[in-house]
Amino acid sequence: MIKRLLIAIVALVIVAGGIIGYNLFVGKMIAGIFANMKAPPVAVSVTQVVAADWQPGLEAIGTAAAVQGTDLATEAAGIVREIRFAANDRIEKGQALVQIDDRQERADLDSARAALTLAETALTRAKELRQKGVSATSALDEAEAAAIEARATVAKLEATLSTKQLTAPFAGTIGIPKIEIGSYVAAGTVFATLQDRSRMRVDFTLTESEAALVSPGMSVTVTSEVGDVSAEGKITGIEPKIDPNSRLVTLRADVPNEGDKLTPGQFLRVRVALPVEKDVIALPQTVVSSSLYGDSVFVVREEKAEGSDTAELHARQVFIKVGRHFDDKVEIRTGLQSGDQVVNAGQNKLSSGATVTIDNSQSLPGVGGN
């Protein structure tokens, strides 16, 4: 009985050992096959690195304002009799806009003019009598003083009357009326805004170090927040004082406003163009991968495998140092040189050393392959 049991145990061990040995053999063979299996090349698109001109610039946020713009206000109190404009009318310089009730002032002016006529007649008569020697000098002096006083009264009333008719101080586009016919307005009441939008001024701020790079006459480009409006202008002023609270310097640019595309008070993005730099390497931002270890790109190079005379294309991860940004380009300061071929599409399928083939037909829109 014991002999049979031993035989069964030995047989079981032999069978189990055979199964395990067979599985180990098969696993080793499969691992060897995969280890020696060559991965198929990955198709990528590349951009050739070329040193070119670089337009550096300073970015800022600005606010647009009309070169000539003001809130129009009444000079004298009274009842509004006429409003001679509508919202968004094009107004010419000196055009009458609002008429305040001036009946009392006109009556006073008529009375003053009549008194002036009488005073001048009396002055003429006093001069004739004085020439004939039948009048005292004091009478002539009194007549001259009365005439001067009458002229001053007329001038004063004419000035008062002019404040009842409000005119445009310059040409421009007028806004929505803020008063109504028949309403009483006090002196200083704002009745509309007038903006000359043919040219705009854009105020923005830069840091002290950035402002030191800017001088009057430099070109600026302004764009709206959504990017559908763009205009170019020139720096016209730099504040000689640094704001002690923000530590920023205020600058002003003069920008033509063709087609009234820019609006006073509008939020704008400002870019000050600095002098062009030569031989700068710049690439589309989409080719740069960022990680905790830094920024990198994949560069395609021809390499020969050990023991082989045939060269193949391999993608190598190269760490770079990036610099300034402009539009969709980024400056590459170190890590690349002219002539390098950088992968611009298909990076997500790559690992450093992977075999690749170049297929520029899959280049991303707006990224040229060479």
Side-chain angles (χ1 to χ4, degrees):
M1 183 68 180
I2 295 176
K3 185 177 180 180
R4 290 180 181 178
L5 180 60
L6 291 174
I7 294 173
I9 292 173
V10 171
L12 181 61
V13 170
I14 293 174
V15 171
I19 294 173
I20 293 173
Y22 176 77
N23 287 336
L24 291 174
F25 173 75
V26 171
K28 184 176 181 180
M29 292 297 294
I30 293 174
I33 292 173
F34 278 105
N36 296 321
M37 182 179 293
K38 191 174 182 179
V42 179
V44 296
S45 173
V46 298
T47 296
Q48 186 168 355
V49 175
V50 178
D53 292 346
W54 173 266
Q55 177 69 74
L58 302 173
E59 308 287 341
I61 301 301
T63 302
V67 172
Q68 280 190 308
T70 186
D71 290 335
L72 302 174
T74 57
E75 295 183 62
I79 302 296
V80 178
R81 292 302 180 194
E82 292 181 75
I83 298 177
R84 300 176 182 175
F85 68 91
N88 303 116
D89 280 353
R90 176 66 187 177
I91 303 300
E92 299 301 325
K93 182 178 180 179
Q95 180 177 333
L97 302 175
V98 176
Q99 180 64 57
I100 305 296
D101 186 13
D102 59 358
R103 289 172 295 178
Q104 179 177 341
E105 286 76 9
R106 288 187 179 280
D108 292 341
L109 180 58
D110 290 340
S111 175
R113 285 173 175 169
L116 175 60
T117 300
L118 179 60
E120 289 179 340
T121 301
L123 177 59
T124 302
R125 185 178 301 111
K127 288 180 179 179
E128 292 175 351
L129 293 175
R130 180 60 187 155
Q131 289 175 355
K132 295 177 180 180
V134 296
S135 173
T137 303
S138 60
L140 178 59
D141 292 342
E142 292 176 358
E144 288 179 343
I148 293 172
E149 182 180 3
R151 292 191 196 101
T153 300
V154 170
K156 178 181 178 181
L157 290 173
E158 286 177 343
T160 302
L161 188 63
S162 67
T163 63
K164 298 291 185 173
Q165 186 179 69
L166 309 177
T167 58
F170 53 84
T173 301
I174 200 164
I176 300 172
K178 298 181 180 180
I179 57 176
E180 301 292 340
I181 294 177
S183 61
Y184 176 86
V185 293
T189 301
V190 174
F191 63 87
T193 184
L194 181 62
Q195 304 288 327
D196 179 6
R197 298 171 59 178
S198 59
R199 298 190 68 83
M200 304 292 285
R201 64 187 183 201
V202 179
D203 291 342
F204 58 99
T205 58
L206 294 174
T207 63
E208 181 181 357
S209 58
E210 291 175 333
L213 304 175
V214 182
S215 59
M218 280 187 170
S219 297
V220 301
T221 302
V222 299
T223 55
S224 61
E225 176 65 9
V226 293
D228 59 342
V229 176
S230 179
E232 296 185 356
K234 300 286 184 181
I235 297 290
T236 57
I238 302 174
E239 193 69 51
K241 174 186 176 183
I242 299 174
D243 189 315
N245 296 318
S246 64
R247 301 299 176 185
L248 298 175
V249 180
T250 300
L251 298 91
R252 175 169 292 176
D254 189 359
V255 180
N257 189 23
E258 298 180 3
D260 285 352
K261 294 180 180 179
L262 300 178
T263 304
Q266 186 175 8
F267 172 92
L268 296 172
R269 298 190 179 275
V270 182
R271 188 175 196 275
V272 182
L274 297 179
V276 175
E277 298 177 9
K278 301 290 186 180
D279 299 327
V280 175
I281 294 177
L283 292 174
Q285 296 185 34
T286 52
V287 309
V288 179
S289 301
S290 298
S291 68
L292 295 176
Y293 303 101
D295 299 312
S296 64
V297 297
F298 280 97
V299 178
V300 176
R301 296 171 178 164
E302 282 191 354
E303 299 178 353
K304 291 183 180 180
E306 292 185 8
S308 174
D309 295 332
T310 304
E312 295 180 332
L313 295 177
H314 291 266
R316 294 292 178 183
Q317 187 178 23
V318 176
F319 285 91
I320 59 174
K321 183 177 181 181
V322 300
R324 297 160 294 183
H325 294 70
F326 177 44
D327 288 342
D328 62 340
K329 296 291 185 70
V330 60
E331 177 191 15
I332 308 300
R333 293 185 173 175
T334 60
L336 297 176
Q337 58 185 0
S338 295
D340 286 342
Q341 296 189 96
V342 177
V343 177
N344 62 42
Q347 303 99 311
N348 58 326
K349 299 178 290 183
L350 294 178
S351 60
S352 189
T355 305
V356 298
T357 59
I358 296 177
D359 180 10
N360 285 335
S361 63
Q362 63 172 326
S363 179
L364 295 176
V367 178
N370 292 298

